[in-house]
C-alpha cells in the first residue's frame, strides 16, 4: 500500500517542495526537510530556488541515499541532531558546538608579567633609595678643615667608633657596661682605603702620639695656631670633634681623607642585633673583662649586640692592650660587613630594612657622603674580611717620651705613598 497522497511514489514527487503535505498524518520533526548547504540551485530546479531534496525510503532520513545515484553527498547528516536549516547556537558551522577558545598567547603574558615585575622593582628600588638617603645623618662638614693635603688615587674613609651614650637609658648603659661619662670620645679609629689595587684597613690606636696642628674651630670658626702640642690621637676628637680629628690625621700622615663615618655604642649594638648576631672566632683562653663586660669562651660563636660591643671595647684583658684591641675591632667590623652583605640579609626585606634602619639611624657621616659611597665602604670591608684586602695597624716604633705610642715615621711615609698612588700595600706593621 502506498502511503503517498494520490499514489505518489518516491520517484514521481516532482519538483514539489516537501513531502506528505496532503497527508492526514502529521510528520514528526525527524523527517522535516533540510535545505542543502552550498551554492544556490540552478533556475528551474527545486521550488522557488530551493534545491531538490534527497529521497527518503522507509522513513529513513539518514544515510543520504536515492534511487538513481546511490549516495547523495549533498545531504547534511547533521539533520538528526535536531538542527533545522543549519541553525543552532554554536556558531556559523551549524554543528551545535561552541567554537574552541583560542590558545593563550603565552609570549604576550610573559611580556606583560616581566614589565609589571620590572616596574615594581624599579619603584621599590627608587623608594628605598630616597628612604635610606633621608635617614643619613650628614653632620660633619669637611669644608671646615683647613690646609688639606692633595687627594690621591682611590678613596679614603676615616671610620670612628665613639663612646657616645646619646639616647641611651640608664638601663641600657648598665646592660652595655658603658658607664655614664658625659660627652663623647673615640674608642676606635680606622682608615679604609678603597682602590683598584686592593682595599686596605688601617687601625689608628687611640693612644697614638700626634701633634695638634693649626685649625679652625668647627663651631666658632676661630683660628687656633698650632703650638707643636703632642697628645694622644683621641684627644683631638675630644677637643673639637670630627673636623679637628680629620685635620689631625691628615696633618700627621699626609693622607687626604675623603669621607667620615662615625657610630656610637647603642648604634653598634643595634646593627649587630638587626642582622641576628655576628659569628666570630674568640682567641684561645677566651676573654673576660669586668670593665667592658666581656665574658666570652674561646672558639667560634655568634655574638649578639651586647657581647659584640664588649668584645670590641676590651683592651685590659688583652696582652697587647690597645694594639690587640684594634685587631679585634678590625676582625669584627669586617665580619659584620660580611654578614650584612650576605644574600640572606640583602634579599630578605624583613632583615634588610631593619638592618638599614638601625645602621643609618646610628651613623654620622660627612655632608658629601652618598649611599653609593657608604655601600662602597661596606663592600670594601667585606673584601678585607674575605682575604681580598689587607688589614693592619699603623706601624709603631715604640713609645714616645710622654708614654704614647710612637708611629714608625719611615714606614708611615712609605705606606701613605703607596695609598696615594693606589699601589698594593707592602708595608708591614711589625
Amino acid at each position: 500500500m502506498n502511503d503517498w497522497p494520490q499514489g505518489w511514489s518516491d520517484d514521481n514527487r516532482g519538483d514539489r517542495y516537501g513531502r506528505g503535505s496532503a497527508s492526514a498524518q502529521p510528520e514528526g520533526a525527524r523527517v522535516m526537510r533540510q535545505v542543502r548547504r552550498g551554492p544556490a540551485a540552478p533556475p528551474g530546479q527545486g521550488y522557488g530556488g530551493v534545491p531538490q531534496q534527497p529521497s527518503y525510503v522507509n522513513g529513513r532520513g539518514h544515510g543520504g541515499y536515492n534511487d538513481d545515484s546511490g549516495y547523495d553527498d549533498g545531504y547534511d547528516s547533521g539533520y538528526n541532531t535536531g538542527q533545522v536549516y543549519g541553525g543552532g547556537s554554536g556558531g556559523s558551522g551549524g554543528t551545535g558546538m561552541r567554537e574552541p577558545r583560542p590558545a593563550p598567547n603565552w609570549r604576550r603574558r610573559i611580556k606583560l608579567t616581566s614589565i609589571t615585575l620590572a616596574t615594581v622593582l624599579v619603584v621599590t628600588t627608587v623608594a628605598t633609595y630616597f628612604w635610606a638617603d633621608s635617614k643619613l645623618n650628614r653632620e660633619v662638614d669637611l669644608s671646615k678643615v683647613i690646609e688639606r693635603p692633595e687627594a690621591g688615587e682611590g678613596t679614603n674613609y676615616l671610620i670612628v667608633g665613639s663612646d657616645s651614650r646619646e639616647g641611651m637609658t640608664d638601663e641600657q648603659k648598665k646592660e652595655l657596661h658603658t658607664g655614664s661619662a658625659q660627652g663623647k670620645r673615640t674608642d676606635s679609629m680606622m682608615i679604609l682605603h678603597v682602590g683598584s689595587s686592593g682595599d686596605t684597613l688601617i687601625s689608628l690606636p687611640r693612644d697614638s702620639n700626634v701633634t695638634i696642628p693649626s685649625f679652625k674651630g668647627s663651631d666658632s670658626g676661630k683660628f687656633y695656631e698650632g703650638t707643636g702640642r703632642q697628645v694622644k690621637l683621641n684627644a683631638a676628637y675630644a677637643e673639637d670633634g670630627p673636623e679637628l680629628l680629620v685635620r689631625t690625621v691628615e696633618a700627621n700622615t699626609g693622607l687626604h681623607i675623603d669621607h667620615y663615618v662615625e657610630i656610637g655604642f647603642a648604634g653598634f649594638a643595634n646593627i649587630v642585633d638587626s642582622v641576628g648576631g655576628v659569628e666570630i672566632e674568640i682567641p684561645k683562653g677566651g676573654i673576660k673583662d669586668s670593665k667592658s663586660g666581656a665574658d666570652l669562651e674561646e672558639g667560634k660563636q655568634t655574638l649578639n649586640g651586647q657581647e659584640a660591643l664588649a668584645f670590641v671595647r676590651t683592651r685590659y684583658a688583652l696582652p697587647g692592650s690597645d694594639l690587640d684591641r684594634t685587631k679585634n675591632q678590625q676582625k669584627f667590623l669586617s665580619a659584620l660587613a660580611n654578614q650584612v652583605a650576605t644574600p640572606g640579609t640583602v634579599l630578605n626585606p624583613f632583615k634588610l630594612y631593619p638592618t638599614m634602619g638601625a645602621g643609618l639611624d646610628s651613623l654620622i657621616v660627612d655632608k658629601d657622603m652618598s649611599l653609593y659611597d657608604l655601600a662602597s665602604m661596606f663592600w670594601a670591608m667585606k673584601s678585607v674580611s674575605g682575604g681580598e684586602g689587607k688589614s693592619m695597624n699603623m706601624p709603631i716604633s715604640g713609645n714616645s717620651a710622654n708614654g704614647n705610642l710612637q708611629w714608625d715615621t719611615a714606614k708611615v711615609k712609605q705606606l701613605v705613598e703607596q695609598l696615594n698612588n693606589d699601589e698594593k700595600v707592602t708595608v708591614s706593621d711589625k
Side-chain angles (χ1 to χ4, degrees):
M1 179 177 178
N2 194 332
D3 290 335
W4 294 103
Q6 300 178 2
W8 284 10
S9 68
D10 189 74
D11 297 325
N12 64 4
R13 285 176 296 168
D15 294 335
R16 291 189 62 184
Y17 175 67
R19 181 183 65 170
S21 59
S23 172
Q25 297 180 352
E27 284 191 82
R30 183 178 62 84
V31 294
M32 291 178 67
R33 303 296 189 271
Q34 186 175 34
V35 176
R36 180 195 306 268
R37 296 194 188 117
Q45 295 186 18
Y47 180 79
V50 178
Q52 183 173 349
Q53 304 302 300
S55 61
Y56 291 79
V57 180
N58 297 326
R60 295 175 60 190
H62 181 68
Y65 285 90
N66 61 36
D67 293 341
D68 298 326
S69 61
Y71 183 77
D72 183 353
D73 60 0
Y75 174 67
D76 187 351
S77 61
Y79 174 81
N80 283 340
T81 63
Q83 301 174 43
V84 180
Y85 300 115
S89 60
S92 60
T95 62
M97 299 177 63
R98 293 186 178 182
E99 294 184 3
R101 293 183 179 180
N105 189 336
W106 289 108
R107 180 177 296 179
R108 182 170 179 271
R109 290 186 180 184
I110 292 173
K111 181 179 179 180
L112 289 176
T113 301
S114 299
I115 292 174
T116 301
L117 291 176
T119 302
V120 171
L121 180 61
V122 169
V123 171
T124 302
T125 301
V126 171
T128 299
Y129 176 88
F130 283 106
W131 167 78
D133 188 72
S134 68
K135 295 181 76 66
L136 275 179
N137 300 312
R138 297 182 173 94
E139 299 178 7
V140 180
D141 189 356
L142 296 183
S143 67
K144 295 179 179 179
V145 180
I146 63 174
E147 301 177 21
R148 309 191 67 185
E150 290 283 337
E153 299 294 326
T155 304
N156 299 314
Y157 297 82
L158 181 59
I159 304 171
V160 175
S162 76
D163 64 359
S164 172
R165 298 155 178 84
E166 185 176 350
M168 295 177 64
T169 65
D170 291 338
E171 183 179 351
Q172 288 176 316
K173 293 176 183 177
K174 182 178 180 181
E175 181 181 345
L176 298 176
H177 295 267
T178 64
S180 300
Q182 297 298 314
K184 57 181 182 178
R185 286 152 293 278
T186 52
D187 249 27
S188 60
M189 290 158 283
M190 303 177 189
I191 293 175
L192 174 65
H193 175 81
V194 180
S196 58
S197 297
D199 305 318
T200 306
L201 185 62
I202 308 161
S203 284
L204 309 175
R206 57 178 284 176
D207 294 340
S208 297
N209 190 60
V210 294
T211 301
I212 297 293
S214 300
F215 69 96
K216 184 181 291 186
S218 57
D219 292 328
S220 65
K222 181 179 178 181
F223 180 79
Y224 295 90
E225 185 70 46
T227 61
R229 178 166 49 102
Q230 294 188 339
V231 297
K232 293 180 179 180
L233 180 59
N234 65 340
Y237 181 94
E239 187 171 330
D240 198 49
E243 288 83 3
L244 179 55
L245 177 62
V246 171
R247 167 73 175 129
T248 302
V249 169
E250 289 187 340
N252 283 266
T253 63
L255 189 67
H256 181 89
I257 300 299
D258 298 291
H259 292 294
Y260 177 91
V261 181
E262 178 186 325
I263 186 169
F265 282 162
F268 180 83
N270 288 340
I271 293 176
V272 174
D273 285 333
S274 68
V275 297
V278 175
E279 188 176 74
I280 200 77
E281 182 81 28
I282 303 300
K284 187 176 181 180
I287 298 175
K288 191 174 182 65
D289 184 2
S290 59
K291 292 191 175 183
S292 68
D295 188 6
L296 306 171
E297 296 181 358
E298 67 177 81
K300 185 175 292 186
Q301 55 188 286
T302 299
L303 306 184
N304 61 26
Q306 177 184 345
E307 294 167 333
L309 184 59
F311 175 72
V312 299
R313 293 182 61 218
T314 295
R315 66 169 176 163
Y316 294 105
L318 303 176
S321 188
D322 201 36
L323 292 178
D324 282 349
R325 176 169 70 167
T326 57
K327 293 179 181 178
N328 283 343
Q329 290 170 346
Q330 286 182 348
K331 182 166 64 173
F332 188 86
L333 288 179
S334 295
L336 174 60
N338 187 65
Q339 177 71 21
V340 170
T342 58
T345 298
V346 176
L347 301 180
N348 183 352
F350 297 103
K351 291 188 69 175
L352 176 62
Y353 286 100
T355 301
M356 290 180 65
L360 297 173
D361 278 340
S362 307
L363 296 178
I364 295 175
V365 300
D366 65 272
K367 292 184 179 296
D368 294 326
M369 176 76 80
S370 69
L371 286 177
Y372 175 82
D373 295 322
L374 196 59
S376 176
M377 183 193 80
F378 272 100
W379 281 107
M381 293 182 70
K382 183 179 185 295
S383 75
V384 172
S385 174
E388 299 173 15
K390 180 182 179 69
S391 61
M392 59 183 291
N393 276 322
M394 186 64 82
I396 302 294
S397 60
N399 291 332
S400 61
N402 57 10
N404 299 334
L405 296 175
Q406 185 64 50
W407 292 350
D408 187 318
T409 305
K411 285 188 175 182
V412 170
K413 183 179 179 180
Q414 183 183 1
L415 172 63
V416 171
E417 187 176 306
Q418 291 177 342
L419 294 177
N420 277 331
N421 295 329
D422 198 16
E423 300 172 352
K424 184 177 178 62
V425 173
T426 59
V427 177
S428 170
D429 58 4
K430 304 300 184 184

